[in-house]
Amino acid sequence: EDVAPLFRKKRGSDEDDEGQISSTGDSWTARKCCAACMDSISVTFGPDAVLPNLLPQLQDKLVSSDVWVKESAVLCLGAVCSGAGAKMEEHMSQLAPFLLAQTNDPCPQLRCMACWTLSRYVDWITNQSPP
């Protein structure tokens, strides 16, 4: 490993500090690392630095015919919520229906990611008035 994230438990291993196999089976993947990085970047630099560069890229990816490209963009929307959630609220009136539609996609990973991303914006969703 060239660069390993600094955690109490090695993310690439199912072993805890004493060499015991963990019961969760969670493993540190490039995907999880990228999502954690997007979360950290949004928190560290804030929405004004992140969103102007990120949103145009995500707009293209959210309409991609490649389900994995679309799923990665949905993941990114959820990952930036920690640092940019308040600023993303102005876009949620368009994004929420899109994300809800993705919960009916044939790809289970996209459905799951859409649900997770919606859960990250639950405060916005629950504060909306009925139509």
Side-chain angles (χ1 to χ4, degrees), residues 12-84:
S13 168
D14 286 341
E15 293 184 6
D16 64 19
D17 290 289
E18 291 152 18
Q20 301 290 326
I21 300 294
S22 92
S23 59
T24 61
D26 292 334
S27 61
W28 190 242
T29 64
R31 260 175 83 57
K32 288 181 183 180
C33 183
C34 290
C37 286
M38 287 307 303
D39 186 304
S40 295
I41 287 169
S42 72
V43 169
T44 302
F45 295 103
D48 293 331
V50 173
L51 294 181
N53 297 307
L54 181 66
L55 290 178
Q57 297 293 320
L58 290 182
Q59 283 179 325
D60 293 340
K61 308 231 178 326
L62 289 170
V63 296
S64 174
S65 59
D66 183 337
V67 69
W68 300 112
V69 171
K70 187 184 295 186
E71 190 266 353
S72 68
V74 171
L75 168 69
C76 192
L77 285 173
V80 299
C81 183
S82 294

Side-chain angles (χ1 to χ4, degrees), residues 115-130:
C115 290
W116 176 77
T117 298
L118 283 166
S119 76
R120 303 276 288 174
Y121 293 96
V122 73
D123 288 341
W124 179 86
I125 293 168
T126 57
N127 289 321
Q128 297 308 297
S129 305

Side-chain angles (χ1 to χ4, degrees), residues 83-101:
K87 193 80 163 180
M88 284 295 294
E89 287 183 0
E90 62 192 63
H91 304 285
M92 286 307 294
S93 61
Q94 294 173 318
L95 286 173
F98 169 80
L99 291 168
L100 282 172

